[in-house]
């Protein structure tokens, strides 16, 4: 029985690692997608979507002078919030945009 409990605890820890790594730049996101392909979990899928949404949004905002740059700073705060919840193992969407990311990035299954 303890073998089964240890295995599920390890899977949960791996899901947390995948979730946290997904927030570490685009390279971290790619690594997490690769690992996720071999070890799927709801937590990892949730944070991979959130992270991709933040990456794409930040890329678009970076092309808008002044206003976009300021909003990118706000997005950085959202990124910190999301990374914190990934570390805790929680599925907490980023403020304002998180639910949109979950709905529109549903190709990540």
């Amino acid at each position: 029985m303890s073998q089964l409990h240890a295995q599920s605890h390890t899977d949960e820890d791996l899901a947390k690692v995948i979730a946290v790594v997904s927030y570490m730049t685009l390279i971290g996101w790619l690594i997490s997608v690769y690992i996720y392909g071999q070890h799927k979990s709801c937590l990892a899928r949730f944070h991979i979507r959130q992270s991709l949404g933040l990456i794409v949004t930040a890329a678009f905002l970076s092309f808008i002078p002044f206003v976009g740059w300021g909003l990118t700073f706000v997005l950085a705060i959202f990124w910190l919030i999301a990374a914190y919840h990934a570390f805790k193992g929680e599925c907490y969407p980023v403020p304002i945009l998180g639910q949109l990311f979950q709905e529109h990035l549903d190709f990540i299954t």
Side-chain angles (χ1 to χ4, degrees):
M1 187 72 152
S2 64
Q3 179 82 7
L4 179 61
H5 179 66
Q7 180 65 27
S8 64
H9 185 64
T10 303
D11 291 342
E12 182 181 311
D13 289 342
L14 182 59
K16 283 183 186 180
V17 168
I18 293 169
V20 170
V21 169
S22 73
Y23 291 104
M24 296 181 182
T25 72
L26 182 59
I27 293 171
W29 186 83
L30 291 170
I31 291 169
S32 66
V33 167
Y34 177 75
I35 297 170
Y36 171 74
Q38 299 169 355
H39 304 282
K40 295 187 182 242
S41 74
C42 294
L43 178 70
R45 178 177 57 242
F46 178 86
H47 285 287
I48 287 172
R49 288 178 181 174
Q50 294 290 298
S51 178
L52 179 61
L54 289 171
I55 290 168
V56 170
T57 304
F60 282 126
L61 289 176
S62 69
F63 291 108
I64 304 171
F66 305 114
V67 174
W69 300 337
L71 291 174
T72 301
F73 177 74
V74 173
L75 214 59
I77 294 170
F78 289 174
W79 173 83
L80 289 172
I81 292 169
Y84 170 76
H85 287 286
F87 180 75
K88 287 180 63 178
E90 300 173 347
C91 291
Y92 180 82
V94 296
I96 304 169
L97 300 171
Q99 196 56 41
L100 290 172
F101 296 158
Q102 291 301 312
E103 292 171 10
H104 295 290
L105 299 175
D106 60 349
F107 61 88
I108 300 171
T109 57

